[in-house]
Amino acid sequence: MSHKHLVIFDFDNTISEGNTDTVVMDMVTDEAAAAELWSTEQRGHWTKLVNSFLNHLFENGVTVQEMAAELRKMQLVSGMVELLKFLGENPQKFKVVIMSDANSFYIETLLEEYGLENVISETFTNKALLEDSGRVCVIPCHSHDHEECPVNMCKGVLIREYMKRLKNEGEVFSSICYVGDGSNDFCASINLSSDDFVFPRAGFMLDKIIRKSRRTPNMKQVDAEVIVWQSASEITEKLKQMIF
């Protein structure tokens, strides 16, 4: 049996303190224009809204360099730099993956700012393309048929497909540790087993949904051990216990 653990992170409000999408969206300084863009939001179609904002920014002369500069001002969640460095220092014990409904440009920019890009083995997210004109366009991560998740990303499907692929490649793990905060992290969480761990950020939507599910018998349940956290240092301590 392998003694290596797979650690999967969401990104916005899990690694980054705040939402990378809305940081860039807030660069639309015309309040009327921003309100009009927000009015087009459709449930489950967040990527479409992101592209509308990116298109508006491009048409108003905001460059990709200016977006990157704004993203680099963001902080990471308390204790997260130390957690990711710890994981990076123990590659024989941990494989680290990101599954996020942000996009590759935002994630790569912030990880590089903190010198953490080499910690991550693989990232599942929406792909950001920089067109020759300078316009940024976000391409959906994948397609799926799970109606409860956003049309561009079902983390439950992603985890199942990823674990099947790893098994076929001969890579097995003693446990999966999933770290997240949002409602779309619940689908990932219910696809884990009793050998696994879910780390919901305290007070955020994933934490609330898991608590609600425990009071609601007809809701899908999380079989993994649930460890609520406020600082990423609490996750570090738990992972240390698992390998030392």
Side-chain angles (χ1 to χ4, degrees), residues 150-209:
V151 296
N152 62 297
M153 176 172 286
C154 173
K155 294 186 178 183
V157 169
L158 286 176
I159 283 181
R160 293 195 301 271
E161 291 178 348
Y162 185 51
M163 296 312 299
K164 182 178 179 180
R165 191 185 94 199
L166 291 176
K167 183 178 180 181
N168 289 339
E169 293 172 353
E171 197 169 3
V172 295
F173 300 90
S174 56
S175 75
I176 302 172
C177 303
Y178 189 89
V179 186
D181 72 282
S183 57
N184 66 345
D185 295 312
F186 185 66
C187 195
S189 301
I190 60 176
N191 276 276
L192 303 183
S193 75
S194 57
D195 294 326
D196 302 323
F197 301 85
V198 174
F199 294 86
R201 190 176 180 188
F204 283 69
M205 190 56 68
L206 177 60
D207 178 26
K208 294 176 181 178
I209 295 173

Side-chain angles (χ1 to χ4, degrees), residues 37-170:
L37 288 165
W38 277 109
S39 72
T40 66
E41 182 181 5
Q42 297 173 276
R43 185 179 181 275
H45 293 264
W46 179 253
T47 304
K48 184 177 179 181
L49 181 67
V50 169
N51 276 324
S52 295
F53 271 87
L54 289 170
N55 187 60
H56 178 89
L57 288 168
F58 171 75
E59 291 179 346
N60 285 271
V62 178
T63 67
V64 66
Q65 291 82 7
E66 289 170 319
M67 291 184 222
E70 202 67 25
L71 289 164
R72 285 194 289 267
K73 296 177 186 176
M74 295 181 72
Q75 301 294 308
L76 300 193
V77 170
S78 173
M80 189 55 65
V81 172
E82 293 78 10
L83 169 56
L84 290 173
K85 286 184 176 178
F86 163 72
L87 293 171
E89 290 164 358
N90 291 277
Q92 73 283 6
K93 296 293 185 181
F94 299 104
K95 183 185 183 86
V96 185
V97 170
I98 288 173
M99 288 187 180
S100 167
D101 200 9
N103 66 68
S104 55
F105 167 44
Y106 296 174
I107 292 171
E108 290 166 9
T109 297
L110 204 48
L111 289 176
E112 288 170 5
E113 174 67 13
Y114 286 87
L116 297 167
E117 67 274 16
N118 292 329
V119 173
I120 311 302
S121 296
E122 196 161 355
T123 299
F124 298 87
T125 190
N126 306 300
K127 185 175 179 59
L129 298 177
L130 179 60
E131 299 175 353
D132 291 341
S133 63
R135 186 196 310 264
V136 178
C137 179
V138 177
I139 307 299
C141 176
H142 70 152
S143 59
H144 62 87
D145 58 6
H146 186 207
E147 294 182 358
E148 295 177 23
C149 286
V151 296
N152 62 297
M153 176 172 286
C154 173
K155 294 186 178 183
V157 169
L158 286 176
I159 283 181
R160 293 195 301 271
E161 291 178 348
Y162 185 51
M163 296 312 299
K164 182 178 179 180
R165 191 185 94 199
L166 291 176
K167 183 178 180 181
N168 289 339
E169 293 172 353

